[in-house]
Amino acid sequence: MLATLNKLTLYGGAKSRAIRSLWALEECCAETGIDYHQVKLNTIEEMRSPDFLAVNPNGKIPALKHDDLFVFESMCINLHVAKRFAPKLYPLGDWQESLVLQWSFWAISEIEPLQMDLLNNTKFLPKNKRLPEVANLAIRRLNRPLETLEKHLTGRQWLLTDNFSIADLNLASVMLLLDMAKYDFTSFPRIAEWRSRCYGRPAFGTAQQR
């Protein structure tokens, strides 16, 4: 089995969305001692090279090569490696697995589009193309999903069980960008505490250095 695990290659560095999957792989390393190889891609030209397009035809990072299997999309990569290589990270009960999928999909459907509207119009786009009204609307619209999460975390430390799981990792990794937007979590103290627990994990610190 270890020989198979040594054939994991993750494409992308920590200063990109690949941080999500680097974090997941580092959690797997901490739990079961697996190893993986990292290939950093720093330019559009590298991501459009024939070699990388054979891994991910979309030309985007992160992407994973596991033996002869190619997997792209950060949430899918994380679910793939956690389910196979980190039993404690991936709850296996039927209802638990459904909730892992629920919160992972929720992260990219309810949080990510709004945080990108916010960041595009405060950080990423040229100043003359930013629309403050779009950023302000995104802030207002984020209240609804964050209220849902805040309520869910009442009396809980983690999303599913008494332990950190891949559901926590996937959602927290998506929400990392809200730090770049300097989002104010004062109205959501349970979320703020949960995020601190997630980002305080040693595996996350290691992933940030990759």
Side-chain angles (χ1 to χ4, degrees), residues 179-193:
D179 285 345
M180 185 182 297
K182 297 183 179 179
Y183 187 86
D184 184 2
F185 284 95
T186 301
S187 299
F188 305 105
R190 296 186 188 95
I191 295 176
E193 292 171 2

Side-chain angles (χ1 to χ4, degrees), residues 138-210:
I139 292 172
R140 292 196 300 272
R141 291 181 65 192
L142 273 166
N143 280 332
R144 184 173 181 179
L146 292 179
E147 285 169 357
T148 297
L149 179 57
E150 180 78 6
K151 182 178 179 180
H152 178 76
L153 288 170
T154 302
R156 301 170 181 264
Q157 282 204 325
W158 307 110
L159 289 176
L160 301 189
T161 66
D162 292 335
N163 300 304
F164 177 82
S165 75
I166 193 65
D168 296 285
L169 188 154
N170 281 347
L171 178 52
S173 68
V174 169
M175 291 177 69
L176 269 170
L177 286 178
L178 288 175
D179 285 345
M180 185 182 297
K182 297 183 179 179
Y183 187 86
D184 184 2
F185 284 95
T186 301
S187 299
F188 305 105
R190 296 186 188 95
I191 295 176
E193 292 171 2
W194 166 79
R195 292 175 83 246
S196 293
R197 286 192 291 274
C198 290
Y199 302 147
R201 294 182 64 81
F204 177 66
T206 302
Q208 287 182 300
Q209 305 304 314
R210 298 297 298 243

Side-chain angles (χ1 to χ4, degrees), residues 11-61:
Y11 295 82
K15 296 186 183 300
S16 71
R17 286 188 180 183
I19 183 62
R20 301 173 181 179
S21 298
L22 288 166
W23 184 4
L25 283 164
E26 288 298 331
E27 292 284 356
C28 292
C29 291
E31 182 175 333
T32 56
I34 69 162
D35 194 13
Y36 68 95
H37 177 62
Q38 180 187 8
V39 177
K40 292 185 179 180
L41 300 176
N42 299 311
T43 66
I44 295 296
E45 289 74 18
E46 290 175 316
M47 286 182 261
R48 297 295 187 271
S49 69
D51 285 346
F52 183 64
L53 289 175
V55 176
N56 182 0
N58 298 294
K60 296 180 179 180
I61 52 176

Side-chain angles (χ1 to χ4, degrees), residues 67-87:
D67 292 338
D68 295 324
L69 174 69
F70 301 113
V71 183
F72 47 83
E73 298 300 328
S74 59
M75 296 294 100
C76 185
I77 293 169
N78 290 5
L79 294 168
H80 175 83
V81 298
K83 188 171 185 178
R84 285 155 183 81
F85 309 132

